[in-house]
Amino acid sequence: RYTSSYRDGTSLFPQHQDPPMTILLATYISYLFLIAIGHMRDFFGKRFWPGYYKHLMSAAGYAALNSDFDSFYTRRLKLRIEDCFARPVTGVPGRTILMYNRVSPDFNVSFKLTGQLTRALNVSSYNYLGFAQATGGVADAAEESIRRYGLSALGPRLEAGTQDLHTAAEALVARFLGVEDAAVISMGFATNSTTLPALVSRGCLVLSDEYNHASIRTGVRLSGASVRLFKHNDMASLEQILRESISQGQPRTHRPWKKILVVVEGLYSMEGTFVDLPALMTLKKRYKFYLYVDEAHSIGAIGPHGRGVCDYFGIDPTEVDILMGTFTKSFGAAGGYIAGKKVLIDKLRTINHAFAYAEAVSPPVLTQLTAAMASIMGVAPPLLTPVGAINTQSTALIPYSHPGPAPAAILPSWMHLPPALLSGVEGNTRLRRLAFNSRYLSQGLRKLGFIIYGHRDSPIVPLLIYNPGKMPVFSRLMLAANTYPGAVPFVVVIVAYPATPLITSRVRFCMSASHTKADVDRLLRACDRVGDLLDLKHGCPKHERWTVDEVIDRAVELVHMD
Amino acid sequence: MATAVNSTGVLPDTTPALEPILHYVSASLSYVYHSFLSIPGSSIVIRYVRSSYQNDPFRTVLEVILLLFALRTIFQSRTRADRSTKNYVQLSESEIDELVDDWIPEPLVTPLTPAEQAQLNALPIISGAAGPKPKLASTGKTVLNLASYNFAGLANNEHIKEQAVGALRKYGVGSCGPPGFYGTIDVHMQLEQDLANFLGTESAIIYSQAFSTASSVIPAFCKRGDIIVADRGVSFAIQKGIQISRSIVRWYDHNDLDSLEEVLIGVEKEMKKKRAPLTRRFIVTEGIFENDGQMVDLPKLIELKEKFKYRLLLDESISFGSVGRTGRGLTELYNVPATHIDMLLGSMATGLNAAGGFCAGSRVVTEHQRINGTSFVYSASMPALLAVGASEAIGVLRDNPGCLRELVENVRVVRGVLDRLECIEVPSHPASPLIHIYVRSGPSQGSTLEVPTLAARKGGKSKTTSLEPAEPVTFDIETEERLLQDVVDEALAQGVLISRVKRLRGQEASEPRPSIKLAVSAGLTRKEVEKAAGIIRAALLKVLGRRR
């Protein structure tokens, strides 16, 4: 049985392997080539086919709607591989997903649905714990809430948009995290972008990881605070900046900073890395900054009890000033939360933009997250099996004990969850399955010879592709069922610049508790084949590699390897 | 390398005392030279350098400096502060340690003020479904609701609920991904199509939260150097969008199109004088203003926009789903084709009682946002069942115009009561289902205080770069908020739920005047509305009348 928790002495951050120079060179040349061709097409296109460029050119006294320079990347590079993005789907984004087949008559400018559907294995949705379900106890509760509550709370929280469901959900979130209080907001993005301006302002300094999410950047920009970036997860860089900023004070005036807020993510969605929380806590004691941890991806997904990075590293969550997270991922709902001390959260309720002006979280969404969260925690009473017994082994290892099961009194009285969910057994199984799947895939791909970023326990597994030309081919080959005998279609996410640095294009797998070992086996086989075809294996040296059959047979050994 | 070759050439002319040193230098230089020669292809480089530089040391020096500069730029970390400025104080490590020890940060947040605490405590919590007649958790009483956005009375519509349940059973709740990565569900595409057909635009794009729509759409189009001409009274969401766009902003007096015209002329002159190149220009305003319920004169606005060649971004968050024969908003009310509005924003949370916001316009406009609308790209798409709820709500509005006729009736009833009251002032447009109530300033100041826009117009011109109108109306925020809260409490005690508008004091661009907001709903019968209006009237008279 594998649990997701930090073991002392394990290397937290595996060395990034660098690809051979030839690959880097080829990547740069590819981009040069694409850019040159793109500019040539723009040059001739504007002269011979002005109709297509209307929105890029001034006409009749109006300036161009979009600047051709700003949109160059989108038009000339992304458009070529547009078929790999925004593929329309239907049904539940669970273990598999139903995808609409589409064709483009005009080189990806527009798409037509053919009317056929493809069912593919889904290694792309943020469905870490598999709570994206249309059946089962959680969905039943959501249906009940639509009938009881309708679809909307009909207004902002501070006016008349607060329902008993909101207060219940907030109490449960706080309990889940082990902090005093929590507030829920109807959109994950907005949780960051409306809370940060409420926390910091001019005269404050925000130190932000260079790979932080766009919502954090938006929030910081709105706040008017000064901002400095530190190298991704590099605590030495952070410490150096901290020393410099505190000693130098504000620029020009040298006045001391009012406050310093360090903003990090628990699990970085493009890198698969965990924040180095233990080191960060040491720095926090020394430098007295406030810490804001965005657990959009990590909450529910890592840690022996699914409580995110604090749980994973065994750190008391009350030591982190502000915990933020979303319900979109592990809980299969939508929206986000802000949690911390009661004083802080109460204040945020009155000064956060979303509370005064944005719509409150919709009742079925609240029910989904409440029921999913309660299932991870287990509900007490009634206790069918002692939940503590399941966890004794892991809790013995770490000094911090997690907050325990959800008190039944917090949950709405009409919510009836099936016994497997109530006892927390189901939740626990899912956590362990996710932990196994994540580790297995990440280690397996490494052993096959791929360059994999990120932490080995991360449910997000980025596989490096580098060359822009290989990205769409990878995506299309994974989707095609005829690449090799016995192939099954996979939907994968490819990401490139600007979401990543220019050369490190990658494919990002998201593991889920709904995947079986056989699914991961299939994924490994598919990657193995496609990886050979596309020459992607530049990771561990050849003699250390395993064959795909070896990887599949020795899965358990692999997972426990370091 | 060229310099190295030259310096070996001048060696023999120097004094003998320095000879050993020079000898050493020359030897090491020749070693470097020879090892350089051993690199394949180096001879070509040397030949090139010799032939192109001739005898021009100045050029060599210049190019070496250029090269060093380029290297410096490449290797300079983005994350390091500029230490080279005069302002940087060189400190020793121990001094830094001391400063670190001495530094005491301000608390993360200031504790709640008693007023804020009272505000939180007074927050009504609804037990069960929110709707026209919700039950309060604190007292268990059922009240008449004039605080929630339920204009067309679609909340708890059984048909919509059934369809949403069907969607839940097909799609689950969450979409588990952003639209770009398998988060585009067929119901989202359907909803976009429904919105576009309903409004008569080419296309539409949906965002998963209404509040984040404007603040994402504006910076998607308005960039640094572009010009935004905006109303002084725009909602908070638009203010944030304008702030983040970093465009040049000019403000015109609230809902005053003459002032808008003056500003537009002013901008035109300014640009001519500067001989500035043609940039994108936008007029940003709202259909019905969230902050006070005034309504913009759309035909005139469009006339101005076309005359001065501006693009129009109109936020119909309040008017969509509430005015017009079938709820299509201002375009329907004024009978203006929606295609005249370049970016038409709306809310599905208020108008359709589902969730999220949208932007409708031409295909070019919406497609651009699919990559450049930050809160579209970087956020999970909205839950499928809410998208279905919104689609169904559009269907209901389209097929049953009756509900909006009732709304118009109900608005008339409420206005009929409020307009006769001496102690208050109603800035909202008579047709607006969102009605704001101000406390009328005390009788000592004269009983006929005008609406802010008129007051501002009479005086000198206001500065277009500042948010302050020329003659701002003065009001006492604290007293008025307290009085209005008393009215709210009194009405609630009598069984009518209304709400004071909650503002983010200190964060707003210009402090809006305290007000009570009534959201009239078609979900209440005429009788109930009459009763509610009567109770509100009595509460207003009791609290504000007492003051004299």
Side-chain angles (χ1 to χ4, degrees):
Chain A
R1 302 271 72 180
Y2 187 74
T3 48
S4 155
S5 69
Y6 177 60
R7 287 170 288 171
D8 275 333
T10 54
S11 63
L12 184 54
F13 304 104
Q15 280 282 301
H16 277 186
Q17 290 148 312
D18 286 325
M21 282 307 281
T22 48
I23 297 285
L24 287 183
L25 209 63
T27 308
Y28 278 119
I29 291 173
S30 304
Y31 273 111
L32 270 179
F33 206 67
L34 283 166
I35 289 167
I37 298 258
H39 279 299
M40 259 151 68
R41 286 181 64 184
D42 272 4
F43 181 82
F44 290 108
K46 277 185 189 165
R47 279 154 185 80
F48 295 111
W49 299 277
Y52 288 108
Y53 294 84
K54 243 193 227 152
H55 60 293
L56 300 176
M57 302 207 281
S58 304
Y62 287 91
L65 181 61
N66 309 325
S67 130
D68 55 353
F69 180 74
D70 285 350
S71 64
F72 179 81
Y73 185 84
T74 318
R75 289 181 296 116
R76 290 299 175 215
L77 277 77
K78 184 169 173 274
L79 189 68
R80 288 168 171 272
I81 54 174
E82 192 69 21
D83 61 311
C84 304
F85 298 104
R87 289 175 174 150
V89 298
T90 184
V92 182
R95 176 180 157 245
T96 62
I97 196 162
L98 261 179
M99 206 192 80
Y100 283 96
N101 295 354
R102 52 180 187 173
V103 289
S104 177
D106 46 11
F107 300 103
N108 295 349
V109 176
S110 66
F111 289 96
K112 281 194 176 62
L113 303 186
T114 60
Q116 284 156 329
L117 293 158
T118 303
R119 185 169 284 283
L121 267 168
N122 181 8
V123 285
S124 300
S125 293
Y126 309 131
N127 176 29
Y128 300 127
L129 289 181
F131 279 111
Q133 286 173 312
T135 53
V138 177
D140 292 344
E143 174 175 342
E144 178 73 25
S145 84
I146 296 179
R147 296 192 193 283
R148 280 171 182 267
Y149 290 85
L151 290 183
S152 171
L154 308 177
R157 288 289 299 282
L158 281 185
E159 284 167 10
T162 304
Q163 291 170 296
D164 48 356
L165 275 182
H166 292 94
T167 48
E170 291 181 343
L172 186 69
V173 172
R175 177 82 191 194
F176 179 80
L177 296 165
V179 295
E180 286 176 14
D181 203 357
V184 296
I185 290 167
S186 56
M187 183 193 199
F189 185 95
T191 311
N192 275 331
S193 70
T194 64
T195 301
L196 283 164
L199 287 171
V200 285
S201 56
R202 201 172 286 281
C204 303
L205 176 67
V206 176
L207 299 180
S208 171
D209 190 290
E210 59 178 336
Y211 289 158
N212 271 349
H213 191 249
S215 55
I216 296 174
R217 278 179 267 148
T218 306
V220 173
R221 238 167 99 177
L222 283 175
S223 73
S226 306
V227 60
R228 287 181 67 184
L229 303 176
F230 59 91
K231 280 215 179 73
H232 174 55
N233 228 350
D234 182 347
M235 293 303 130
S237 154
L238 174 62
E239 178 163 21
Q240 189 238 321
I241 292 178
L242 275 168
R243 291 179 72 82
E244 193 181 309
S245 330
I246 296 175
S247 60
Q248 295 292 319
Q250 297 187 34
R252 294 180 52 79
T253 61
H254 290 293
R255 259 188 234 156
W257 294 101
K258 286 184 188 162
K259 46 194 170 189
I260 296 180
L261 184 70
V262 174
V263 187
V264 293
E265 289 186 41
L267 166 58
Y268 291 85
S269 65
M270 290 298 163
E271 309 296 311
T273 40
F274 295 163
V275 66
D276 189 352
L277 200 57
L280 204 53
M281 299 314 285
T282 320
L283 283 184
K284 179 172 156 49
K285 288 202 183 74
R286 173 87 182 87
Y287 295 98
K288 294 171 277 191
F289 55 79
Y290 297 108
L291 181 59
Y292 185 108
V293 181
D294 174 343
E295 294 219 63
H297 285 270
S298 51
I299 194 67
I302 62 171
H305 316 98
R307 259 62 155 197
V309 275
C310 292
D311 192 18
Y312 184 84
F313 289 111
I315 287 169
D316 187 352
T318 54
E319 283 180 27
V320 179
D321 300 285
I322 308 125
L323 288 164
M324 176 270 169
T326 64
F327 305 122
T328 321
K329 283 94 186 183
S330 301
F331 308 103
Y337 67 80
I338 279 286
K341 297 230 167 8
K342 183 152 174 43
V343 194
L344 168 78
I345 301 302
D346 271 346
K347 185 72 181 183
L348 283 178
R349 285 196 176 103
T350 63
I351 58 173
N352 173 303
H353 308 169
F355 266 69
Y357 290 114
E359 71 250 36
V361 192
S362 154
V365 174
L366 280 171
T367 310
Q368 166 83 18
L369 79 91
T370 312
M373 202 172 266
S375 314
I376 302 170
M377 299 165 79
V379 180
L383 274 182
L384 293 183
T385 51
V387 180
I390 302 166
N391 296 325
T392 40
Q393 195 197 354
S394 40
T395 40
L397 288 173
I398 49 175
Y400 139 81
S401 70
H402 80 106
I410 293 184
L411 302 180
S413 54
W414 50 265
M415 190 188 278
H416 300 293
L417 295 173
L421 293 182
L422 276 183
S423 65
V425 170
E426 165 96 31
N428 214 285
T429 316
R430 289 186 190 214
L431 282 170
R432 280 160 179 255
R433 207 180 295 146
L434 175 64
F436 175 86
N437 286 348
S438 311
R439 184 103 177 170
Y440 176 33
L441 180 69
S442 162
Q443 291 281 61
L445 289 174
R446 279 192 172 89
K447 268 291 168 208
L448 287 177
F450 291 100
I451 299 186
I452 304 295
Y453 274 5
H455 196 282
R456 290 164 212 266
D457 280 334
S458 151
I460 294 173
V461 182
L463 184 159
L464 273 286
I465 291 188
Y466 297 104
N467 206 310
K470 290 178 186 173
M471 282 195 296
V473 186
F474 190 94
S475 175
R476 290 169 197 152
L477 283 180
M478 290 296 274
L479 188 64
N482 56 0
T483 314
Y484 55 94
V488 286
F490 279 94
V491 291
V492 298
V493 165
I494 49 171
V495 273
Y497 180 81
T500 68
L502 187 66
I503 55 158
T504 51
S505 321
R506 61 197 70 174
V507 51
R508 186 187 62 174
F509 301 116
C510 291
M511 280 289 98
S512 163
S514 64
H515 295 135
T516 59
K517 172 162 186 297
D519 293 338
V520 187
D521 294 347
R522 288 193 194 107
L523 179 58
L524 285 166
R525 270 186 207 286
C527 286
D528 186 51
R529 283 302 181 100
V530 176
D532 280 337
L533 275 174
L534 296 182
D535 183 28
L536 293 177
K537 297 179 176 175
H538 302 291
C540 72
K542 280 216 170 68
H543 59 90
E544 285 176 24
R545 286 185 200 168
W546 291 0
T547 65
V548 70
D549 290 312
E550 230 176 326
V551 168
I552 289 169
D553 292 339
R554 295 164 66 182
V556 177
E557 181 191 337
L558 195 60
V559 164
H560 285 102
M561 247 163 81
D562 215 20
Chain B
M1 193 40 63
T3 43
V5 177
N6 285 340
S7 52
T8 42
V10 277
L11 267 179
D13 304 333
T14 43
T15 46
L18 287 172
E19 211 147 278
I21 305 167
L22 287 173
H23 184 75
Y24 174 74
V25 170
S26 125
S28 50
L29 277 177
S30 72
Y31 173 74
V32 169
Y33 178 63
H34 284 290
S35 52
F36 178 73
L37 280 182
S38 63
I39 302 170
S42 57
S43 57
I44 303 173
V45 174
I46 289 176
R47 205 179 318 135
Y48 169 75
V49 169
R50 278 212 175 116
S51 65
S52 64
Y53 284 75
Q54 305 286 340
N55 284 320
D56 192 355
F58 178 70
R59 184 176 157 179
T60 313
V61 171
L62 197 73
E63 293 201 354
V64 167
I65 292 172
L66 264 177
L67 182 76
L68 288 177
F69 183 74
L71 286 175
R72 183 172 160 265
T73 314
I74 290 168
F75 289 108
Q76 198 168 42
S77 163
R78 276 184 302 143
T79 56
R80 250 182 43 200
D82 198 9
R83 289 176 169 209
S84 55
T85 56
K86 270 190 229 151
N87 222 325
Y88 186 83
V89 185
Q90 205 54 256
L91 296 164
S92 73
E93 287 299 301
S94 60
E95 282 172 316
I96 294 180
D97 281 334
E98 209 170 290
L99 282 164
V100 166
D101 290 336
D102 287 349
W103 182 61
I104 302 162
E106 283 181 12
L108 186 54
V109 287
T110 51
L112 286 176
T113 61
E116 286 170 333
Q117 187 63 54
Q119 174 185 321
L120 272 186
N121 293 346
L123 209 59
I125 297 173
I126 292 166
S127 159
K133 282 175 271 179
K135 204 170 86 179
L136 291 184
S138 51
T139 55
K141 269 201 322 190
T142 302
V143 291
L144 293 172
N145 187 356
L146 283 182
S148 301
Y149 293 128
N150 180 24
F151 297 124
L154 298 170
N156 302 311
N157 179 306
E158 284 306 320
H159 169 72
I160 296 177
K161 268 158 76 169
E162 274 317 307
Q163 297 298 316
V165 168
L168 167 73
R169 288 307 180 185
K170 188 173 173 202
Y171 301 96
V173 175
S175 61
C176 288
F181 301 147
Y182 307 98
T184 308
I185 308 176
D186 48 3
V187 293
H188 294 139
M189 297 160 76
Q190 184 61 47
L191 175 56
E192 285 171 355
Q193 194 60 51
D194 288 344
L195 282 165
N197 291 347
F198 188 58
L199 288 165
T201 59
E202 202 180 349
S203 152
I205 177 170
I206 53 171
Y207 286 77
S208 52
Q209 189 193 46
F211 177 76
S212 297
T213 309
S215 44
S216 182
V217 176
I218 295 172
F221 293 102
C222 311
K223 307 286 182 193
R224 201 186 283 271
D226 293 345
I227 299 166
I228 296 179
V229 177
D231 190 293
R232 283 207 168 84
V234 290
S235 69
F236 194 77
I238 296 180
Q239 291 168 22
K240 292 292 127 182
I242 291 175
Q243 183 191 338
I244 214 165
S245 72
R246 293 173 175 170
S247 302
I248 303 164
V249 192
R250 295 285 179 269
W251 302 95
Y252 67 92
D253 288 336
H254 179 43
N255 204 17
D256 180 349
L257 295 188
D258 294 331
S259 162
L260 169 65
E261 187 162 10
E262 279 167 25
V263 173
L264 294 179
I265 293 171
V267 171
E268 201 176 23
K269 271 190 196 150
E270 195 184 329
M271 291 297 133
K272 267 218 183 97
K273 213 163 88 190
K274 277 196 205 157
R275 292 166 184 265
L278 185 63
T279 53
R280 285 178 284 264
R281 293 166 301 190
F282 299 86
I283 297 174
V284 177
T285 184
E286 287 177 87
I288 290 181
F289 289 88
E290 191 184 325
N291 279 354
D292 61 4
Q294 293 196 26
M295 192 189 287
V296 77
D297 180 355
L298 189 60
K300 175 134 191 248
L301 183 64
I302 288 179
E303 191 187 306
L304 282 178
K305 139 200 150 61
E306 285 180 350
K307 182 173 164 202
F308 290 91
K309 299 194 187 302
Y310 275 67
R311 292 191 170 91
L312 174 61
L313 192 145
L314 185 71
D315 188 344
E316 290 221 58
S317 288
I318 300 296
S319 47
F320 177 75
S322 68
V323 302
R325 197 181 65 88
T326 55
R328 286 171 168 86
L330 243 54
T331 49
E332 190 174 31
L333 192 71
Y334 285 109
N335 202 13
V336 176
T339 43
H340 284 209
I341 298 163
D342 300 272
M343 294 123 204
L344 196 160
L345 272 57
S347 156
M348 298 174 290
T350 47
L352 304 175
N353 294 351
F358 67 85
C359 171
S362 66
R363 217 180 104 83
V364 173
V365 164
T366 56
E367 292 310 302
H368 179 70
Q369 293 171 52
R370 288 183 204 282
I371 303 134
N372 296 285
T374 36
S375 71
F376 179 83
V377 177
Y378 296 103
S379 158
S381 52
M382 67 196 272
L385 66 93
L386 294 175
V388 168
S391 277
E392 292 300 325
I394 291 175
V396 173
L397 284 178
R398 196 178 40 216
D399 303 338
N400 312 307
C403 54
L404 286 161
R405 276 201 298 277
E406 277 167 43
L407 177 63
V408 171
E409 244 341 275
N410 288 349
V411 171
R412 198 171 297 154
V413 169
V414 176
R415 287 304 291 254
V417 172
L418 294 180
D419 287 349
R420 285 206 301 265
L421 282 178
E422 288 275 313
C423 55
I424 56 163
E425 214 177 285
V426 179
S428 309
H429 189 272
S432 163
L434 182 77
I435 303 172
H436 282 254
I437 301 174
Y438 293 155
V439 178
R440 191 183 288 270
S441 307
S444 54
Q445 294 183 4
S447 53
T448 52
L449 192 103
E450 281 152 295
V451 180
T453 52
L454 294 173
R457 277 211 56 207
K458 275 170 56 194
K461 268 198 221 161
S462 48
K463 250 182 95 184
T464 57
T465 45
S466 109
L467 267 158
E468 284 301 313
E471 287 177 20
V473 182
T474 49
F475 44 83
D476 177 0
I477 292 177
E478 218 168 294
T479 324
E480 292 193 4
E481 284 195 340
R482 205 185 56 240
L483 285 169
L484 292 172
Q485 187 60 44
D486 286 348
V487 174
V488 169
D489 295 343
E490 173 64 22
L492 191 61
Q494 302 301 322
V496 177
L497 176 62
I498 54 176
S499 174
R500 195 165 60 72
V501 182
K502 302 295 161 62
R503 301 293 185 193
L504 302 165
R505 297 289 170 202
Q507 296 189 65
E508 310 265 353
S510 63
E511 294 295 345
R513 189 162 180 184
S515 61
I516 283 178
K517 178 162 80 178
L518 303 183
V520 182
S521 165
L524 294 168
T525 63
R526 195 191 160 117
K527 265 220 162 86
E528 286 162 341
V529 173
E530 277 171 1
K531 186 181 162 204
I535 290 172
I536 294 168
R537 177 176 180 274
L540 284 166
L541 283 175
K542 187 174 167 193
V543 174
L544 299 179
R546 196 171 53 199
R547 206 159 54 108
R548 292 182 186 179

